[in-house]
Amino acid sequence: MEYHDLITHRRSLRVYDSRIPAREVILSCLEAARVAPSGENVQPWRFTVIDEPDLRTELAEAATGGIYLPTKFIRKAPVIIAVSAKTDIMVNRIGTFLQGTQFYLLDLGMACQQLVLRAEDLGLGSCYIGWFNVEKARRVLALPKQEKLVCLISLGYPPPEYTKPEGHKRKALDEIVRFNREKS
């Protein structure tokens, strides 16, 4: 798919076919994430792929109960990728202290965007999930304590009858861009 089409037509997918993507396909998505840029090249990202049905069900139910019910659609996703960050990396800690910016979130954002764009390019659908029970998900996955669980990404094929919705209206460039010291 041509790059411009890829970035303008990707949509979050919340319904999935039962087909499980091959490991090679999942690894291709993760390879795209792996080569993403990161501040000082610290590469803080860690990806936990959950494609074993019983563990996937356990994770999805733990993560999407109660107030997190709006994200219960991940219970039908054939693959869930838990995205965490190593937060004990000195460069990230210094950057947060000096600038108040948690640079690992920027790094993870770039890696995840490359992952979902590669998935789209391979015919898969995906959805970022930030609204989930982080503590219960951490317990299910037994993540190391120096890793901060940041998001989940559901991954799978769209059902055969699926029609991609139109995108949400986006603001015009003149609403979001200024050059130099122009006033908004």
Side-chain angles (χ1 to χ4, degrees):
M1 186 181 291
E2 196 241 302
Y3 182 72
H4 186 265
D5 289 337
L6 185 66
I7 62 173
T8 56
H9 294 105
R10 186 211 165 264
R11 302 287 178 265
S12 293
L13 183 68
R14 292 177 177 86
V15 293
Y16 296 93
D17 188 86
S18 61
R19 292 175 292 157
I20 298 174
R23 283 268 169 105
E24 298 78 35
V25 172
I26 297 167
L27 288 170
S28 181
C29 295
L30 293 165
E31 175 63 16
R34 183 188 72 80
V35 299
S38 64
E40 296 295 319
N41 196 34
V42 297
Q43 304 169 52
W45 44 72
R46 299 297 181 268
F47 302 95
T48 304
V49 178
I50 302 92
D51 62 356
E52 192 279 317
D54 290 339
L55 181 59
R56 189 185 69 237
T57 298
E58 181 183 357
L59 172 64
E61 288 178 2
T64 64
I67 63 171
Y68 303 103
L69 208 52
T71 53
K72 71 178 181 182
F73 67 88
I74 70 169
R75 296 176 185 187
K76 303 272 188 192
V79 177
I80 300 171
I81 300 174
V83 183
S84 55
K86 284 187 57 83
T87 55
D88 60 343
I89 299 171
M90 189 55 68
V91 170
N92 277 324
R93 294 171 76 190
I94 291 170
T96 300
F97 177 76
L98 293 177
Q99 290 192 249
T101 301
Q102 295 176 336
F103 288 101
Y104 70 88
L105 293 174
L106 299 173
D107 297 340
L108 265 61
M110 289 185 281
C112 288
Q113 184 67 5
Q114 289 191 191
L115 188 156
V116 301
L117 288 175
R118 180 62 178 149
E120 181 78 12
D121 191 42
L122 294 171
L124 296 168
S126 61
C127 188
Y128 289 94
I129 297 101
W131 185 249
F132 66 100
N133 190 317
V134 174
E135 287 310 311
K136 286 186 177 181
R138 283 187 61 78
R139 280 195 295 273
V140 169
L141 296 172
L143 293 177
K145 72 176 184 176
Q146 71 271 20
E147 287 184 28
K148 179 176 178 58
L149 182 55
V150 175
C151 69
L152 303 174
I153 297 175
S154 57
L155 191 67
Y157 292 102
E161 70 280 358
Y162 179 75
T163 303
K164 192 177 284 193
E166 288 294 317
H168 296 290
K169 185 175 180 336
R170 300 293 183 193
K171 293 180 180 182
L173 276 176
D174 62 358
E175 293 180 72
I176 63 168
V177 175
R178 66 178 154 257
F179 286 89
N180 306 308
R181 292 185 179 163
E182 291 177 346
K183 302 288 184 209
S184 298

